[in-house]
mmCIF file with all atom_site columns, all heavy atoms in Angstrom:
data_model
loop_
_atom_site.group_PDB
_atom_site.id
_atom_site.type_symbol
_atom_site.label_atom_id
_atom_site.label_alt_id
_atom_site.label_comp_id
_atom_site.label_asym_id
_atom_site.label_entity_id
_atom_site.label_seq_id
_atom_site.pdbx_PDB_ins_code
_atom_site.Cartn_x
_atom_site.Cartn_y
_atom_site.Cartn_z
_atom_site.occupancy
_atom_site.B_iso_or_equiv
_atom_site.pdbx_formal_charge
_atom_site.auth_seq_id
_atom_site.auth_comp_id
_atom_site.auth_asym_id
_atom_site.auth_atom_id
_atom_site.pdbx_PDB_model_num
ATOM 1   N N   . PHE Z 1 438 ? 45.409 36.250 -42.761 1.00 0.00 ? 438 PHE Z N   1
ATOM 2   C CA  . PHE Z 1 438 ? 44.839 34.913 -42.556 1.00 0.00 ? 438 PHE Z CA  1
ATOM 3   C C   . PHE Z 1 438 ? 44.647 34.197 -43.893 1.00 0.00 ? 438 PHE Z C   1
ATOM 4   O O   . PHE Z 1 438 ? 44.972 33.011 -44.031 1.00 0.00 ? 438 PHE Z O   1
ATOM 5   C CB  . PHE Z 1 438 ? 43.486 35.018 -41.836 1.00 0.00 ? 438 PHE Z CB  1
ATOM 6   C CG  . PHE Z 1 438 ? 43.587 35.148 -40.348 1.00 0.00 ? 438 PHE Z CG  1
ATOM 7   C CD1 . PHE Z 1 438 ? 43.011 36.220 -39.685 1.00 0.00 ? 438 PHE Z CD1 1
ATOM 8   C CD2 . PHE Z 1 438 ? 44.242 34.188 -39.592 1.00 0.00 ? 438 PHE Z CD2 1
ATOM 9   C CE1 . PHE Z 1 438 ? 43.093 36.348 -38.309 1.00 0.00 ? 438 PHE Z CE1 1
ATOM 10  C CE2 . PHE Z 1 438 ? 44.330 34.302 -38.213 1.00 0.00 ? 438 PHE Z CE2 1
ATOM 11  C CZ  . PHE Z 1 438 ? 43.754 35.384 -37.566 1.00 0.00 ? 438 PHE Z CZ  1
ATOM 12  N N   . LEU Z 1 439 ? 44.117 34.911 -44.863 1.00 0.00 ? 439 LEU Z N   1
ATOM 13  C CA  . LEU Z 1 439 ? 43.843 34.313 -46.176 1.00 0.00 ? 439 LEU Z CA  1
ATOM 14  C C   . LEU Z 1 439 ? 45.125 33.786 -46.809 1.00 0.00 ? 439 LEU Z C   1
ATOM 15  O O   . LEU Z 1 439 ? 45.185 32.627 -47.262 1.00 0.00 ? 439 LEU Z O   1
ATOM 16  C CB  . LEU Z 1 439 ? 43.191 35.366 -47.082 1.00 0.00 ? 439 LEU Z CB  1
ATOM 17  C CG  . LEU Z 1 439 ? 42.832 34.929 -48.504 1.00 0.00 ? 439 LEU Z CG  1
ATOM 18  C CD1 . LEU Z 1 439 ? 41.813 33.805 -48.471 1.00 0.00 ? 439 LEU Z CD1 1
ATOM 19  C CD2 . LEU Z 1 439 ? 42.279 36.109 -49.292 1.00 0.00 ? 439 LEU Z CD2 1
ATOM 20  N N   . PHE Z 1 440 ? 46.166 34.592 -46.843 1.00 0.00 ? 440 PHE Z N   1
ATOM 21  C CA  . PHE Z 1 440 ? 47.425 34.176 -47.456 1.00 0.00 ? 440 PHE Z CA  1
ATOM 22  C C   . PHE Z 1 440 ? 48.033 32.981 -46.725 1.00 0.00 ? 440 PHE Z C   1
ATOM 23  O O   . PHE Z 1 440 ? 48.496 32.026 -47.349 1.00 0.00 ? 440 PHE Z O   1
ATOM 24  C CB  . PHE Z 1 440 ? 48.421 35.330 -47.455 1.00 0.00 ? 440 PHE Z CB  1
ATOM 25  C CG  . PHE Z 1 440 ? 48.105 36.397 -48.460 1.00 0.00 ? 440 PHE Z CG  1
ATOM 26  C CD1 . PHE Z 1 440 ? 48.504 37.707 -48.261 1.00 0.00 ? 440 PHE Z CD1 1
ATOM 27  C CD2 . PHE Z 1 440 ? 47.402 36.101 -49.614 1.00 0.00 ? 440 PHE Z CD2 1
ATOM 28  C CE1 . PHE Z 1 440 ? 48.224 38.695 -49.190 1.00 0.00 ? 440 PHE Z CE1 1
ATOM 29  C CE2 . PHE Z 1 440 ? 47.120 37.086 -50.552 1.00 0.00 ? 440 PHE Z CE2 1
ATOM 30  C CZ  . PHE Z 1 440 ? 47.523 38.383 -50.335 1.00 0.00 ? 440 PHE Z CZ  1
ATOM 31  N N   . ILE Z 1 441 ? 48.046 33.045 -45.406 1.00 0.00 ? 441 ILE Z N   1
ATOM 32  C CA  . ILE Z 1 441 ? 48.699 31.984 -44.635 1.00 0.00 ? 441 ILE Z CA  1
ATOM 33  C C   . ILE Z 1 441 ? 47.958 30.660 -44.795 1.00 0.00 ? 441 ILE Z C   1
ATOM 34  O O   . ILE Z 1 441 ? 48.569 29.606 -45.005 1.00 0.00 ? 441 ILE Z O   1
ATOM 35  C CB  . ILE Z 1 441 ? 48.787 32.387 -43.149 1.00 0.00 ? 441 ILE Z CB  1
ATOM 36  C CG1 . ILE Z 1 441 ? 49.781 33.544 -42.996 1.00 0.00 ? 441 ILE Z CG1 1
ATOM 37  C CG2 . ILE Z 1 441 ? 49.220 31.211 -42.290 1.00 0.00 ? 441 ILE Z CG2 1
ATOM 38  C CD1 . ILE Z 1 441 ? 49.818 34.145 -41.618 1.00 0.00 ? 441 ILE Z CD1 1
ATOM 39  N N   . ILE Z 1 442 ? 46.630 30.685 -44.722 1.00 0.00 ? 442 ILE Z N   1
ATOM 40  C CA  . ILE Z 1 442 ? 45.855 29.442 -44.863 1.00 0.00 ? 442 ILE Z CA  1
ATOM 41  C C   . ILE Z 1 442 ? 46.056 28.838 -46.249 1.00 0.00 ? 442 ILE Z C   1
ATOM 42  O O   . ILE Z 1 442 ? 46.278 27.626 -46.390 1.00 0.00 ? 442 ILE Z O   1
ATOM 43  C CB  . ILE Z 1 442 ? 44.360 29.720 -44.597 1.00 0.00 ? 442 ILE Z CB  1
ATOM 44  C CG1 . ILE Z 1 442 ? 44.143 30.097 -43.134 1.00 0.00 ? 442 ILE Z CG1 1
ATOM 45  C CG2 . ILE Z 1 442 ? 43.513 28.482 -44.939 1.00 0.00 ? 442 ILE Z CG2 1
ATOM 46  C CD1 . ILE Z 1 442 ? 42.739 30.622 -42.834 1.00 0.00 ? 442 ILE Z CD1 1
ATOM 47  N N   . VAL Z 1 443 ? 45.998 29.669 -47.280 1.00 0.00 ? 443 VAL Z N   1
ATOM 48  C CA  . VAL Z 1 443 ? 46.175 29.167 -48.645 1.00 0.00 ? 443 VAL Z CA  1
ATOM 49  C C   . VAL Z 1 443 ? 47.588 28.621 -48.844 1.00 0.00 ? 443 VAL Z C   1
ATOM 50  O O   . VAL Z 1 443 ? 47.779 27.572 -49.466 1.00 0.00 ? 443 VAL Z O   1
ATOM 51  C CB  . VAL Z 1 443 ? 45.861 30.270 -49.674 1.00 0.00 ? 443 VAL Z CB  1
ATOM 52  C CG1 . VAL Z 1 443 ? 46.246 29.829 -51.080 1.00 0.00 ? 443 VAL Z CG1 1
ATOM 53  C CG2 . VAL Z 1 443 ? 44.380 30.624 -49.637 1.00 0.00 ? 443 VAL Z CG2 1
ATOM 54  N N   . SER Z 1 444 ? 48.585 29.318 -48.313 1.00 0.00 ? 444 SER Z N   1
ATOM 55  C CA  . SER Z 1 444 ? 49.964 28.835 -48.480 1.00 0.00 ? 444 SER Z CA  1
ATOM 56  C C   . SER Z 1 444 ? 50.151 27.502 -47.768 1.00 0.00 ? 444 SER Z C   1
ATOM 57  O O   . SER Z 1 444 ? 50.855 26.616 -48.276 1.00 0.00 ? 444 SER Z O   1
ATOM 58  C CB  . SER Z 1 444 ? 50.963 29.867 -47.935 1.00 0.00 ? 444 SER Z CB  1
ATOM 59  O OG  . SER Z 1 444 ? 50.884 29.988 -46.531 1.00 0.00 ? 444 SER Z OG  1
ATOM 60  N N   . PHE Z 1 445 ? 49.525 27.320 -46.606 1.00 0.00 ? 445 PHE Z N   1
ATOM 61  C CA  . PHE Z 1 445 ? 49.578 26.035 -45.913 1.00 0.00 ? 445 PHE Z CA  1
ATOM 62  C C   . PHE Z 1 445 ? 48.987 24.928 -46.788 1.00 0.00 ? 445 PHE Z C   1
ATOM 63  O O   . PHE Z 1 445 ? 49.551 23.843 -46.911 1.00 0.00 ? 445 PHE Z O   1
ATOM 64  C CB  . PHE Z 1 445 ? 48.807 26.100 -44.593 1.00 0.00 ? 445 PHE Z CB  1
ATOM 65  C CG  . PHE Z 1 445 ? 49.569 26.765 -43.467 1.00 0.00 ? 445 PHE Z CG  1
ATOM 66  C CD1 . PHE Z 1 445 ? 48.911 27.163 -42.306 1.00 0.00 ? 445 PHE Z CD1 1
ATOM 67  C CD2 . PHE Z 1 445 ? 50.928 26.992 -43.554 1.00 0.00 ? 445 PHE Z CD2 1
ATOM 68  C CE1 . PHE Z 1 445 ? 49.600 27.773 -41.271 1.00 0.00 ? 445 PHE Z CE1 1
ATOM 69  C CE2 . PHE Z 1 445 ? 51.620 27.601 -42.525 1.00 0.00 ? 445 PHE Z CE2 1
ATOM 70  C CZ  . PHE Z 1 445 ? 50.954 27.987 -41.380 1.00 0.00 ? 445 PHE Z CZ  1
ATOM 71  N N   . TYR Z 1 446 ? 47.847 25.230 -47.440 1.00 0.00 ? 446 TYR Z N   1
ATOM 72  C CA  . TYR Z 1 446 ? 47.207 24.170 -48.222 1.00 0.00 ? 446 TYR Z CA  1
ATOM 73  C C   . TYR Z 1 446 ? 47.984 23.866 -49.501 1.00 0.00 ? 446 TYR Z C   1
ATOM 74  O O   . TYR Z 1 446 ? 48.041 22.704 -49.930 1.00 0.00 ? 446 TYR Z O   1
ATOM 75  C CB  . TYR Z 1 446 ? 45.761 24.504 -48.586 1.00 0.00 ? 446 TYR Z CB  1
ATOM 76  C CG  . TYR Z 1 446 ? 45.129 23.338 -49.318 1.00 0.00 ? 446 TYR Z CG  1
ATOM 77  C CD1 . TYR Z 1 446 ? 44.703 22.212 -48.614 1.00 0.00 ? 446 TYR Z CD1 1
ATOM 78  C CD2 . TYR Z 1 446 ? 45.030 23.322 -50.709 1.00 0.00 ? 446 TYR Z CD2 1
ATOM 79  C CE1 . TYR Z 1 446 ? 44.193 21.118 -49.267 1.00 0.00 ? 446 TYR Z CE1 1
ATOM 80  C CE2 . TYR Z 1 446 ? 44.511 22.223 -51.375 1.00 0.00 ? 446 TYR Z CE2 1
ATOM 81  C CZ  . TYR Z 1 446 ? 44.096 21.125 -50.645 1.00 0.00 ? 446 TYR Z CZ  1
ATOM 82  O OH  . TYR Z 1 446 ? 43.593 20.024 -51.287 1.00 0.00 ? 446 TYR Z OH  1
ATOM 83  N N   . VAL Z 1 447 ? 48.569 24.877 -50.131 1.00 0.00 ? 447 VAL Z N   1
ATOM 84  C CA  . VAL Z 1 447 ? 49.386 24.614 -51.327 1.00 0.00 ? 447 VAL Z CA  1
ATOM 85  C C   . VAL Z 1 447 ? 50.495 23.628 -50.970 1.00 0.00 ? 447 VAL Z C   1
ATOM 86  O O   . VAL Z 1 447 ? 50.795 22.687 -51.733 1.00 0.00 ? 447 VAL Z O   1
ATOM 87  C CB  . VAL Z 1 447 ? 49.974 25.918 -51.886 1.00 0.00 ? 447 VAL Z CB  1
ATOM 88  C CG1 . VAL Z 1 447 ? 51.008 25.621 -52.973 1.00 0.00 ? 447 VAL Z CG1 1
ATOM 89  C CG2 . VAL Z 1 447 ? 48.869 26.794 -52.459 1.00 0.00 ? 447 VAL Z CG2 1
ATOM 90  N N   . ARG Z 1 448 ? 51.076 23.810 -49.809 1.00 0.00 ? 448 ARG Z N   1
ATOM 91  C CA  . ARG Z 1 448 ? 52.119 22.872 -49.351 1.00 0.00 ? 448 ARG Z CA  1
ATOM 92  C C   . ARG Z 1 448 ? 51.515 21.500 -49.080 1.00 0.00 ? 448 ARG Z C   1
ATOM 93  O O   . ARG Z 1 448 ? 52.116 20.468 -49.422 1.00 0.00 ? 448 ARG Z O   1
ATOM 94  C CB  . ARG Z 1 448 ? 52.792 23.432 -48.088 1.00 0.00 ? 448 ARG Z CB  1
ATOM 95  C CG  . ARG Z 1 448 ? 53.886 22.542 -47.532 1.00 0.00 ? 448 ARG Z CG  1
ATOM 96  C CD  . ARG Z 1 448 ? 55.028 22.362 -48.529 1.00 0.00 ? 448 ARG Z CD  1
ATOM 97  N NE  . ARG Z 1 448 ? 56.052 21.468 -48.018 1.00 0.00 ? 448 ARG Z NE  1
ATOM 98  C CZ  . ARG Z 1 448 ? 57.104 21.872 -47.325 1.00 0.00 ? 448 ARG Z CZ  1
ATOM 99  N NH1 . ARG Z 1 448 ? 57.258 23.174 -47.056 1.00 0.00 ? 448 ARG Z NH1 1
ATOM 100 N NH2 . ARG Z 1 448 ? 58.015 21.023 -46.911 1.00 0.00 ? 448 ARG Z NH2 1
ATOM 101 N N   . VAL Z 1 449 ? 50.333 21.447 -48.488 1.00 0.00 ? 449 VAL Z N   1
ATOM 102 C CA  . VAL Z 1 449 ? 49.667 20.175 -48.218 1.00 0.00 ? 449 VAL Z CA  1
ATOM 103 C C   . VAL Z 1 449 ? 49.408 19.412 -49.522 1.00 0.00 ? 449 VAL Z C   1
ATOM 104 O O   . VAL Z 1 449 ? 49.691 18.212 -49.630 1.00 0.00 ? 449 VAL Z O   1
ATOM 105 C CB  . VAL Z 1 449 ? 48.333 20.401 -47.469 1.00 0.00 ? 449 VAL Z CB  1
ATOM 106 C CG1 . VAL Z 1 449 ? 47.486 19.131 -47.450 1.00 0.00 ? 449 VAL Z CG1 1
ATOM 107 C CG2 . VAL Z 1 449 ? 48.605 20.855 -46.037 1.00 0.00 ? 449 VAL Z CG2 1
ATOM 108 N N   . GLN Z 1 450 ? 48.859 20.112 -50.536 1.00 0.00 ? 450 GLN Z N   1
ATOM 109 C CA  . GLN Z 1 450 ? 48.553 19.471 -51.817 1.00 0.00 ? 450 GLN Z CA  1
ATOM 110 C C   . GLN Z 1 450 ? 49.824 19.004 -52.520 1.00 0.00 ? 450 GLN Z C   1
ATOM 111 O O   . GLN Z 1 450 ? 49.865 17.886 -53.059 1.00 0.00 ? 450 GLN Z O   1
ATOM 112 C CB  . GLN Z 1 450 ? 47.777 20.440 -52.705 1.00 0.00 ? 450 GLN Z CB  1
ATOM 113 C CG  . GLN Z 1 450 ? 47.509 19.934 -54.118 1.00 0.00 ? 450 GLN Z CG  1
ATOM 114 C CD  . GLN Z 1 450 ? 46.565 18.751 -54.161 1.00 0.00 ? 450 GLN Z CD  1
ATOM 115 O OE1 . GLN Z 1 450 ? 45.753 18.552 -53.254 1.00 0.00 ? 450 GLN Z OE1 1
ATOM 116 N NE2 . GLN Z 1 450 ? 46.658 17.955 -55.203 1.00 0.00 ? 450 GLN Z NE2 1
ATOM 117 N N   . THR Z 1 451 ? 50.853 19.815 -52.504 1.00 0.00 ? 451 THR Z N   1
ATOM 118 C CA  . THR Z 1 451 ? 52.110 19.434 -53.154 1.00 0.00 ? 451 THR Z CA  1
ATOM 119 C C   . THR Z 1 451 ? 52.734 18.231 -52.471 1.00 0.00 ? 451 THR Z C   1
ATOM 120 O O   . THR Z 1 451 ? 53.171 17.280 -53.128 1.00 0.00 ? 451 THR Z O   1
ATOM 121 C CB  . THR Z 1 451 ? 53.094 20.621 -53.144 1.00 0.00 ? 451 THR Z CB  1
ATOM 122 O OG1 . THR Z 1 451 ? 52.477 21.758 -53.765 1.00 0.00 ? 451 THR Z OG1 1
ATOM 123 C CG2 . THR Z 1 451 ? 54.361 20.272 -53.902 1.00 0.00 ? 451 THR Z CG2 1
ATOM 124 N N   . ASP Z 1 452 ? 52.787 18.247 -51.135 1.00 0.00 ? 452 ASP Z N   1
ATOM 125 C CA  . ASP Z 1 452 ? 53.331 17.099 -50.390 1.00 0.00 ? 452 ASP Z CA  1
ATOM 126 C C   . ASP Z 1 452 ? 52.501 15.849 -50.633 1.00 0.00 ? 452 ASP Z C   1
ATOM 127 O O   . ASP Z 1 452 ? 53.033 14.734 -50.719 1.00 0.00 ? 452 ASP Z O   1
ATOM 128 C CB  . ASP Z 1 452 ? 53.385 17.411 -48.894 1.00 0.00 ? 452 ASP Z CB  1
ATOM 129 C CG  . ASP Z 1 452 ? 54.483 18.417 -48.554 1.00 0.00 ? 452 ASP Z CG  1
ATOM 130 O OD1 . ASP Z 1 452 ? 55.344 18.664 -49.412 1.00 0.00 ? 452 ASP Z OD1 1
ATOM 131 O OD2 . ASP Z 1 452 ? 54.455 18.955 -47.432 1.00 0.00 ? 452 ASP Z OD2 1
ATOM 132 N N   . TYR Z 1 453 ? 51.195 16.033 -50.740 1.00 0.00 ? 453 TYR Z N   1
ATOM 133 C CA  . TYR Z 1 453 ? 50.302 14.893 -50.989 1.00 0.00 ? 453 TYR Z CA  1
ATOM 134 C C   . TYR Z 1 453 ? 50.650 14.226 -52.318 1.00 0.00 ? 453 TYR Z C   1
ATOM 135 O O   . TYR Z 1 453 ? 50.738 12.998 -52.418 1.00 0.00 ? 453 TYR Z O   1
ATOM 136 C CB  . TYR Z 1 453 ? 48.851 15.382 -51.000 1.00 0.00 ? 453 TYR Z CB  1
ATOM 137 C CG  . TYR Z 1 453 ? 47.845 14.343 -51.429 1.00 0.00 ? 453 TYR Z CG  1
ATOM 138 C CD1 . TYR Z 1 453 ? 47.417 13.358 -50.545 1.00 0.00 ? 453 TYR Z CD1 1
ATOM 139 C CD2 . TYR Z 1 453 ? 47.302 14.364 -52.715 1.00 0.00 ? 453 TYR Z CD2 1
ATOM 140 C CE1 . TYR Z 1 453 ? 46.480 12.408 -50.933 1.00 0.00 ? 453 TYR Z CE1 1
ATOM 141 C CE2 . TYR Z 1 453 ? 46.373 13.425 -53.115 1.00 0.00 ? 453 TYR Z CE2 1
ATOM 142 C CZ  . TYR Z 1 453 ? 45.964 12.455 -52.222 1.00 0.00 ? 453 TYR Z CZ  1
ATOM 143 O OH  . TYR Z 1 453 ? 45.040 11.513 -52.614 1.00 0.00 ? 453 TYR Z OH  1
ATOM 144 N N   . MET Z 1 454 ? 50.875 15.035 -53.358 1.00 0.00 ? 454 MET Z N   1
ATOM 145 C CA  . MET Z 1 454 ? 51.198 14.477 -54.670 1.00 0.00 ? 454 MET Z CA  1
ATOM 146 C C   . MET Z 1 454 ? 52.587 13.847 -54.678 1.00 0.00 ? 454 MET Z C   1
ATOM 147 O O   . MET Z 1 454 ? 52.793 12.780 -55.276 1.00 0.00 ? 454 MET Z O   1
ATOM 148 C CB  . MET Z 1 454 ? 51.091 15.565 -55.738 1.00 0.00 ? 454 MET Z CB  1
ATOM 149 C CG  . MET Z 1 454 ? 49.683 16.066 -55.960 1.00 0.00 ? 454 MET Z CG  1
ATOM 150 S SD  . MET Z 1 454 ? 49.518 17.182 -57.377 1.00 0.00 ? 454 MET Z SD  1
ATOM 151 C CE  . MET Z 1 454 ? 50.484 18.582 -56.824 1.00 0.00 ? 454 MET Z CE  1
ATOM 152 N N   . ILE Z 1 455 ? 53.534 14.501 -54.020 1.00 0.00 ? 455 ILE Z N   1
ATOM 153 C CA  . ILE Z 1 455 ? 54.903 13.982 -54.010 1.00 0.00 ? 455 ILE Z CA  1
ATOM 154 C C   . ILE Z 1 455 ? 54.979 12.660 -53.253 1.00 0.00 ? 455 ILE Z C   1
ATOM 155 O O   . ILE Z 1 455 ? 55.688 11.734 -53.668 1.00 0.00 ? 455 ILE Z O   1
ATOM 156 C CB  . ILE Z 1 455 ? 55.855 15.018 -53.391 1.00 0.00 ? 455 ILE Z CB  1
ATOM 157 C CG1 . ILE Z 1 455 ? 56.004 16.224 -54.328 1.00 0.00 ? 455 ILE Z CG1 1
ATOM 158 C CG2 . ILE Z 1 455 ? 57.215 14.416 -53.094 1.00 0.00 ? 455 ILE Z CG2 1
ATOM 159 C CD1 . ILE Z 1 455 ? 56.817 17.353 -53.751 1.00 0.00 ? 455 ILE Z CD1 1
ATOM 160 N N   . ASN Z 1 456 ? 54.261 12.542 -52.165 1.00 0.00 ? 456 ASN Z N   1
ATOM 161 C CA  . ASN Z 1 456 ? 54.375 11.383 -51.282 1.00 0.00 ? 456 ASN Z CA  1
ATOM 162 C C   . ASN Z 1 456 ? 53.333 10.301 -51.546 1.00 0.00 ? 456 ASN Z C   1
ATOM 163 O O   . ASN Z 1 456 ? 53.391 9.233  -50.950 1.00 0.00 ? 456 ASN Z O   1
ATOM 164 C CB  . ASN Z 1 456 ? 54.279 11.831 -49.822 1.00 0.00 ? 456 ASN Z CB  1
ATOM 165 C CG  . ASN Z 1 456 ? 55.416 12.764 -49.443 1.00 0.00 ? 456 ASN Z CG  1
ATOM 166 O OD1 . ASN Z 1 456 ? 56.572 12.516 -49.784 1.00 0.00 ? 456 ASN Z OD1 1
ATOM 167 N ND2 . ASN Z 1 456 ? 55.102 13.841 -48.739 1.00 0.00 ? 456 ASN Z ND2 1
ATOM 168 N N   . LYS Z 1 457 ? 52.385 10.564 -52.438 1.00 0.00 ? 457 LYS Z N   1
ATOM 169 C CA  . LYS Z 1 457 ? 51.351 9.563  -52.712 1.00 0.00 ? 457 LYS Z CA  1
ATOM 170 C C   . LYS Z 1 457 ? 51.968 8.325  -53.363 1.00 0.00 ? 457 LYS Z C   1
ATOM 171 O O   . LYS Z 1 457 ? 52.843 8.413  -54.219 1.00 0.00 ? 457 LYS Z O   1
ATOM 172 C CB  . LYS Z 1 457 ? 50.264 10.138 -53.618 1.00 0.00 ? 457 LYS Z CB  1
ATOM 173 C CG  . LYS Z 1 457 ? 49.092 9.180  -53.847 1.00 0.00 ? 457 LYS Z CG  1
ATOM 174 C CD  . LYS Z 1 457 ? 48.078 9.783  -54.791 1.00 0.00 ? 457 LYS Z CD  1
ATOM 175 C CE  . LYS Z 1 457 ? 46.906 8.828  -54.996 1.00 0.00 ? 457 LYS Z CE  1
ATOM 176 N NZ  . LYS Z 1 457 ? 47.307 7.545  -55.588 1.00 0.00 ? 457 LYS Z NZ  1
ATOM 177 N N   . ASP Z 1 458 ? 51.478 7.159  -52.962 1.00 0.00 ? 458 ASP Z N   1
ATOM 178 C CA  . ASP Z 1 458 ? 51.908 5.906  -53.574 1.00 0.00 ? 458 ASP Z CA  1
ATOM 179 C C   . ASP Z 1 458 ? 51.405 5.872  -55.011 1.00 0.00 ? 458 ASP Z C   1
ATOM 180 O O   . ASP Z 1 458 ? 50.206 5.884  -55.270 1.00 0.00 ? 458 ASP Z O   1
ATOM 181 C CB  . ASP Z 1 458 ? 51.338 4.724  -52.783 1.00 0.00 ? 458 ASP Z CB  1
ATOM 182 C CG  . ASP Z 1 458 ? 51.790 3.381  -53.342 1.00 0.00 ? 458 ASP Z CG  1
ATOM 183 O OD1 . ASP Z 1 458 ? 52.625 3.370  -54.276 1.00 0.00 ? 458 ASP Z OD1 1
ATOM 184 O OD2 . ASP Z 1 458 ? 51.297 2.349  -52.870 1.00 0.00 ? 458 ASP Z OD2 1
ATOM 185 N N   . MET Z 1 459 ? 52.337 5.834  -55.971 1.00 0.00 ? 459 MET Z N   1
ATOM 186 C CA  . MET Z 1 459 ? 51.956 5.865  -57.377 1.00 0.00 ? 459 MET Z CA  1
ATOM 187 C C   . MET Z 1 459 ? 51.699 4.483  -57.953 1.00 0.00 ? 459 MET Z C   1
ATOM 188 O O   . MET Z 1 459 ? 51.390 4.342  -59.145 1.00 0.00 ? 459 MET Z O   1
ATOM 189 C CB  . MET Z 1 459 ? 53.028 6.593  -58.186 1.00 0.00 ? 459 MET Z CB  1
ATOM 190 C CG  . MET Z 1 459 ? 53.199 8.052  -57.769 1.00 0.00 ? 459 MET Z CG  1
ATOM 191 S SD  . MET Z 1 459 ? 54.277 9.003  -58.867 1.00 0.00 ? 459 MET Z SD  1
ATOM 192 C CE  . MET Z 1 459 ? 53.252 9.150  -60.327 1.00 0.00 ? 459 MET Z CE  1
ATOM 193 N N   . GLY Z 1 460 ? 51.835 3.469  -57.126 1.00 0.00 ? 460 GLY Z N   1
ATOM 194 C CA  . GLY Z 1 460 ? 51.509 2.119  -57.586 1.00 0.00 ? 460 GLY Z CA  1
ATOM 195 C C   . GLY Z 1 460 ? 52.709 1.311  -58.035 1.00 0.00 ? 460 GLY Z C   1
ATOM 196 O O   . GLY Z 1 460 ? 52.549 0.212  -58.573 1.00 0.00 ? 460 GLY Z O   1
ATOM 197 N N   . PHE Z 1 461 ? 53.918 1.819  -57.808 1.00 0.00 ? 461 PHE Z N   1
ATOM 198 C CA  . PHE Z 1 461 ? 55.129 1.068  -58.136 1.00 0.00 ? 461 PHE Z CA  1
ATOM 199 C C   . PHE Z 1 461 ? 56.236 1.510  -57.196 1.00 0.00 ? 461 PHE Z C   1
ATOM 200 O O   . PHE Z 1 461 ? 56.163 2.570  -56.567 1.00 0.00 ? 461 PHE Z O   1
ATOM 201 C CB  . PHE Z 1 461 ? 55.537 1.267  -59.598 1.00 0.00 ? 461 PHE Z CB  1
ATOM 202 C CG  . PHE Z 1 461 ? 55.715 2.707  -59.994 1.00 0.00 ? 461 PHE Z CG  1
ATOM 203 C CD1 . PHE Z 1 461 ? 56.922 3.372  -59.801 1.00 0.00 ? 461 PHE Z CD1 1
ATOM 204 C CD2 . PHE Z 1 461 ? 54.667 3.417  -60.559 1.00 0.00 ? 461 PHE Z CD2 1
ATOM 205 C CE1 . PHE Z 1 461 ? 57.087 4.703  -60.167 1.00 0.00 ? 461 PHE Z CE1 1
ATOM 206 C CE2 . PHE Z 1 461 ? 54.818 4.750  -60.927 1.00 0.00 ? 461 PHE Z CE2 1
ATOM 207 C CZ  . PHE Z 1 461 ? 56.023 5.396  -60.728 1.00 0.00 ? 461 PHE Z CZ  1
ATOM 208 N N   . ASN Z 1 462 ? 57.281 0.695  -57.093 1.00 0.00 ? 462 ASN Z N   1
ATOM 209 C CA  . ASN Z 1 462 ? 58.367 0.959  -56.161 1.00 0.00 ? 462 ASN Z CA  1
ATOM 210 C C   . ASN Z 1 462 ? 59.386 1.897  -56.787 1.00 0.00 ? 462 ASN Z C   1
ATOM 211 O O   . ASN Z 1 462 ? 59.982 1.570  -57.815 1.00 0.00 ? 462 ASN Z O   1
ATOM 212 C CB  . ASN Z 1 462 ? 59.041 -0.363 -55.776 1.00 0.00 ? 462 ASN Z CB  1
ATOM 213 C CG  . ASN Z 1 462 ? 60.224 -0.153 -54.836 1.00 0.00 ? 462 ASN Z CG  1
ATOM 214 O OD1 . ASN Z 1 462 ? 60.277 0.840  -54.115 1.00 0.00 ? 462 ASN Z OD1 1
ATOM 215 N ND2 . ASN Z 1 462 ? 61.168 -1.073 -54.860 1.00 0.00 ? 462 ASN Z ND2 1
ATOM 216 N N   . MET Z 1 463 ? 59.586 3.064  -56.178 1.00 0.00 ? 463 MET Z N   1
ATOM 217 C CA  . MET Z 1 463 ? 60.570 4.008  -56.701 1.00 0.00 ? 463 MET Z CA  1
ATOM 218 C C   . MET Z 1 463 ? 61.694 4.287  -55.710 1.00 0.00 ? 463 MET Z C   1
ATOM 219 O O   . MET Z 1 463 ? 62.562 5.121  -55.979 1.00 0.00 ? 463 MET Z O   1
ATOM 220 C CB  . MET Z 1 463 ? 59.883 5.317  -57.080 1.00 0.00 ? 463 MET Z CB  1
ATOM 221 C CG  . MET Z 1 463 ? 59.327 6.114  -55.918 1.00 0.00 ? 463 MET Z CG  1
ATOM 222 S SD  . MET Z 1 463 ? 58.636 7.711  -56.440 1.00 0.00 ? 463 MET Z SD  1
ATOM 223 C CE  . MET Z 1 463 ? 57.076 7.178  -57.121 1.00 0.00 ? 463 MET Z CE  1
ATOM 224 N N   . GLU Z 1 464 ? 61.698 3.570  -54.577 1.00 0.00 ? 464 GLU Z N   1
ATOM 225 C CA  . GLU Z 1 464 ? 62.749 3.783  -53.590 1.00 0.00 ? 464 GLU Z CA  1
ATOM 226 C C   . GLU Z 1 464 ? 64.082 3.256  -54.113 1.00 0.00 ? 464 GLU Z C   1
ATOM 227 O O   . GLU Z 1 464 ? 64.167 2.175  -54.666 1.00 0.00 ? 464 GLU Z O   1
ATOM 228 C CB  . GLU Z 1 464 ? 62.391 3.090  -52.274 1.00 0.00 ? 464 GLU Z CB  1
ATOM 229 C CG  . GLU Z 1 464 ? 61.170 3.665  -51.583 1.00 0.00 ? 464 GLU Z CG  1
ATOM 230 C CD  . GLU Z 1 464 ? 61.347 5.131  -51.219 1.00 0.00 ? 464 GLU Z CD  1
ATOM 231 O OE1 . GLU Z 1 464 ? 62.475 5.502  -50.827 1.00 0.00 ? 464 GLU Z OE1 1
ATOM 232 O OE2 . GLU Z 1 464 ? 60.372 5.886  -51.327 1.00 0.00 ? 464 GLU Z OE2 1
#
Side-chain angles (χ1 to χ4, degrees):
F438 277 123
L439 180 62
F440 286 153
I441 291 172
I442 293 170
V443 171
S444 68
F445 281 166
Y446 183 77
V447 170
R448 180 62 182 269
V449 168
Q450 175 67 25
T451 304
D452 288 346
Y453 172 79
M454 293 188 294
I455 291 175
N456 297 316
K457 185 182 181 299
D458 182 5
M459 298 189 71
F461 55 86
N462 178 25
M463 67 176 77
E464 295 299 322

